[in-house]
Amino acid sequence: MSVIRQLSPHVADLIAAGEVVERPASVVKELLENSFDAGAKKVTIEIQRGGMALIRVTDDGCGMGPEDAVTCFLRHATSKLRDEYGLEAIGTLGFRGEALAAIAAVSRVQLLTRLRGSQEGVSLVLEAGNVVSNDPAGCPEGTTIVVRDLFYNTPARLKFMKKDAAETAAVTAAVIRCALSHPEISLRYLHDGKEEFHTSGDGKADACVYTVLGRDFAKTMLPASGSGESLSVSGFVCPPANARGNRSAQYFFLNGRCIRSQLLQAALEQAYRSSLFTGRYPACVLFLTMKPNLVDVNVHPAKTEVRFLQERAVFDAVYRTVLAALRGEQAPPELRLPGEEAPAPPPVRQEKTASDPPGNRTPVLAPPAAAYPRGKLPAAVPRREPEIANMPEIVEQLVFSGAKAS
Ligand code: ADP
Ligand code: MG
């Protein structure tokens, strides 16, 4: 007699949902990312009781037509890739069409949406993933999704939820990461009727850090930047004196999405190694931009972990950028990946000789810093840290042994 049985689609859906939707904070993250993907300029997010009772996200994005309003809740339904040629986009951008299906499977959802330029909107209600009503509705252009009673039909999951205050804290942390990842989008966040913050959406990262993380945090931060052909790093790091007792104020963003990365964390901390005691951790808000084909974001269903193709080069880039910021260096480091040519130094102009015809003389320019031989740097030129050829062994072990990021 056969003992193997295939799980029913319903049970399989619930298991899949568990991978994307762990707690209210993961719902919030997915809904906000959808609003950002929909081209929203203004998004309001509201939660009650840590998001367990209610999560409401309203955006002024592209909205959906009546057909898409139903399709978007099907598993593997996405507008963001159409065929296998788009498969690379799954790897690079992480679209899998799973989030809405997963959220709807474990809650009561109401969707109110109107396609931009369309006369009428649609209102859809789902319970445990099943459509219970679908009606035309008057509503503004854009989308509102309300998620109520999360995990009401999965008691096992419900038991793992923490007190409302702890879930609220996790949601707030997720909203902060989303707000910082898109300073060009105005985000308003309310919990239990109280406004926590409201970013202006003017695209300025420093103003966004100020609004979201507070004045005390923002005023001490040092600007950091470094750029190259395929990779750039910018943002803010704290002076060693303002380090903290944990890593909760380390924010890393890759191509507009907040990520966790042990590699980036290690690169940051390595730059502080001589200035911090054990048990103290630097704070940072660092934005990395790199060619999407150099990174795999499809390592985890929630897309928070990534794999860099050229880990050492990325480590080096972050390390050198942070170090330059801590030293107050004026010239941002140039970041190169292996195989990328160093740009040719600008030509050094020679002093014109007396034989040059008068009127044809050009002013004498000092040669650029890079042209100075080692050891003869004039005092005005900031000292450059040599590129680290080898990552310190301890960091290497930490980063490549696959130990969990904290
Ligand atoms: P994915 O984002 O990976 O495509 P989701 O399940 O999160 O998968 O969303 C499914 C689809 O629903 C999206 O591809 C998009 O077309 C549509 N959608 C979801 N949220 C919104 C929104 N706020 N505005 C417009 N369209 C949306
Ligand atoms: Mg999505």
Side-chain angles (χ1 to χ4, degrees):
M1 191 186 77
S2 162
V3 287
I4 302 174
R5 243 175 248 135
Q6 197 171 11
L7 296 176
S8 74
H10 176 65
V11 174
D13 279 355
L14 288 182
I15 293 171
E19 287 182 352
V20 183
V21 184
E22 273 177 89
R23 59 194 301 192
S26 30
V27 175
V28 165
K29 169 186 168 289
E30 294 293 342
L31 294 181
L32 287 177
E33 282 184 356
N34 279 349
S35 294
F36 298 163
D37 293 340
K41 292 272 162 287
K42 283 188 193 149
V43 184
T44 302
I45 152 95
E46 202 180 332
I47 63 160
Q48 283 170 18
R49 286 200 35 230
M52 293 305 296
L54 176 129
I55 296 169
R56 180 176 13 232
V57 174
T58 303
D59 69 49
D60 62 351
C62 62
M64 283 179 271
E67 234 175 90
D68 286 345
V70 179
T71 316
C72 72
F73 290 104
L74 302 179
R75 254 188 104 191
H76 309 303
T78 176
S79 58
K80 298 165 197 168
L81 91 162
R82 297 222 167 265
D83 47 35
E84 71 272 24
Y85 300 107
L87 268 182
E88 204 192 335
I90 303 189
T92 54
L93 302 165
F95 301 130
R96 306 148 76 111
E98 278 183 321
L100 286 185
I103 294 164
V106 293
S107 66
R108 300 181 220 270
V109 169
Q110 185 187 3
L111 168 71
L112 202 59
T113 185
R114 173 149 74 101
L115 196 62
R116 214 173 270 161
S118 144
Q119 290 301 310
E120 197 172 44
V122 54
S123 163
L124 205 76
V125 177
L126 294 97
E127 284 190 13
N130 302 309
V131 178
V132 295
S133 76
N134 179 353
D135 302 297
C139 59
E141 288 179 341
T143 302
T144 297
I145 297 193
V146 189
V147 177
R148 288 193 176 85
D149 306 327
L150 191 61
F151 303 129
Y152 81 99
N153 58 342
T154 51
R157 173 72 58 170
L158 198 57
K159 270 197 284 201
F160 280 97
M161 290 305 112
K162 306 218 169 80
K163 294 218 169 76
D164 290 355
E167 294 305 333
T168 301
V171 170
T172 303
V175 181
I176 286 177
R177 290 192 288 265
C178 287
L180 290 174
S181 65
H182 288 283
E184 78 288 3
I185 297 172
S186 167
L187 197 72
R188 182 164 177 244
Y189 171 47
L190 302 103
H191 76 78
D192 298 316
K194 176 175 162 271
E195 183 177 289
E196 274 298 305
F197 61 75
H198 188 170
T199 64
S200 71
D202 66 1
K204 298 199 174 100
D206 51 353
C208 193
V209 169
Y210 189 99
T211 306
V212 170
L213 298 175
R215 180 173 172 267
D216 289 345
F217 184 93
K219 75 176 182 203
T220 61
M221 298 296 268
L222 308 166
S225 90
S227 63
E229 205 178 302
S230 340
L231 169 66
S232 75
V233 183
S234 67
F236 308 91
V237 295
C238 77
N242 292 76
R244 298 153 183 249
N246 61 46
R247 295 190 170 105
S248 63
Q250 294 182 358
Y251 298 95
F252 296 103
F253 301 90
L254 174 68
N255 297 344
R257 184 176 271 151
C258 188
I259 56 160
R260 275 169 196 282
S261 162
Q262 224 182 341
L263 182 107
L264 302 184
Q265 181 186 301
L268 169 81
E269 291 176 10
Q270 187 64 20
Y272 286 80
R273 73 188 183 285
S274 55
S275 49
L276 283 187
F277 291 115
T278 335
R280 304 295 293 167
Y281 301 94
C284 74
V285 180
L286 285 177
F287 304 94
L288 272 79
T289 316
M290 66 193 298
K291 289 190 178 155
N293 60 349
L294 296 175
V295 57
D296 177 4
V297 300
N298 212 28
V299 186
H300 185 266
K303 298 164 288 188
T304 45
E305 280 162 41
V306 300
R307 208 171 9 232
F308 295 106
L309 232 57
Q310 302 184 350
E311 292 184 316
R312 272 155 228 269
V314 173
F315 180 99
D316 184 43
V318 171
Y319 170 75
R320 291 202 300 133
T321 304
V322 174
L323 203 63
L326 292 176
R327 290 182 175 162
E329 288 180 9
Q330 298 301 312
E334 241 162 58
L335 309 177
R336 274 191 301 279
L337 296 182
E340 281 177 6
E341 293 278 311
V348 178
R349 295 221 198 137
Q350 298 298 324
E351 200 174 340
K352 298 277 176 183
T353 58
S355 61
D356 282 335
N360 201 17
R361 294 198 175 192
T362 44
V364 179
L365 293 181
Y372 278 99
R374 261 181 184 285
K376 290 197 183 164
L377 289 179
V381 178
R383 191 165 66 85
R384 282 289 185 108
E385 175 76 356
E387 289 197 14
I388 42 166
N390 286 312
M391 243 190 262
E393 224 169 80
I394 173 139
V395 177
E396 193 150 348
Q397 272 170 16
L398 179 81
V399 173
F400 297 105
S401 65
K404 275 265 151 249
S406 60

